[in-house]
């Protein structure tokens, strides 16, 4: 059984993807940025963007029948690795007790130049 979870990204329809996809007890959350109602939140602030992103991911997980506690992996893409501590602090505030496997890498750019962070997540519902 497959469940597609729709988000609010303006790109989902034109690019052809879902915010999250659940198959069985596994949920994959697409790369998520701090875009709310078409506007970038936390411009210039990777800490705030990370918190907004994790809130969007939490909502997608909930709609798919999962929770943050089910997350086993996150992938974090940043445009400036020198600011990793701000992103890591926000990630740790949400996942410090869950401790999923995590990767953080610097990328040349994200889809909008105001995006400083993009995060993917995978969850396994037990």
């Amino acid at each position: 059984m497959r469940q597609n979870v729709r988000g609010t990204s303006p790109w989902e329809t034109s690019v052809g993807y879902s915010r999250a996809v659940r198959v069985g007890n596994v949920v994959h959350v697409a790369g998520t940025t701090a875009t709310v109602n078409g506007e970038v939140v936390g411009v210039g602030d990777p800490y705030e963007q990370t918190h907004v992103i994790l809130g969007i991911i939490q909502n997608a997980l909930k709609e798919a029948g999962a929770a943050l506690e089910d997350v086993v992996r996150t992938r974090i893409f940043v445009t400036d690795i020198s600011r990793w501590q701000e992103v890591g602090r926000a990630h740790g505030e949400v996942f410090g007790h869950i401790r999923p496997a995590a990767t953080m890498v610097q990328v040349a750019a994200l889809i909008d130049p105001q995006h400083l962070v993009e995060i993917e997540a995978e969850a396994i519902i037990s």
Side-chain angles (χ1 to χ4, degrees):
M1 180 179 136
R2 176 186 175 117
Q3 174 190 0
N4 290 347
V5 174
R6 185 168 180 226
T8 61
S9 170
W11 301 290
E12 288 178 27
T13 302
S14 62
V15 175
Y17 74 96
S18 297
R19 171 61 40 225
V21 176
R22 177 178 176 173
V23 178
N25 68 334
V26 178
V27 181
H28 299 275
V29 182
T32 303
T33 60
T35 303
V36 177
N37 299 320
E39 299 292 325
V40 178
V41 178
V43 174
D45 186 344
Y47 173 83
E48 182 180 355
Q49 285 194 11
T50 301
H51 265 290
V52 169
I53 291 164
L54 294 175
I56 294 168
I57 288 172
Q58 182 177 24
N59 290 339
L61 290 167
K62 183 177 179 181
E63 190 169 334
L68 289 171
E69 291 75 18
D70 297 314
V71 173
V72 296
R73 170 173 270 301
T74 59
R75 289 179 188 87
I76 307 163
F77 305 95
V78 298
T79 58
D80 182 357
I81 199 72
S82 73
R83 298 185 75 181
W84 72 268
Q85 289 178 318
E86 296 168 79
V87 176
R89 182 165 47 97
H91 186 276
E93 289 171 3
V94 172
F95 287 113
H97 68 287
I98 301 165
R99 299 186 57 155
T103 301
M104 184 186 304
V105 296
Q106 179 172 309
V107 295
L110 295 170
I111 200 162
D112 184 310
Q114 294 180 319
H115 290 146
L116 305 175
V117 182
E118 183 167 333
I119 303 174
E120 297 177 348
E122 297 172 6
I124 299 174
I125 303 165
S126 47

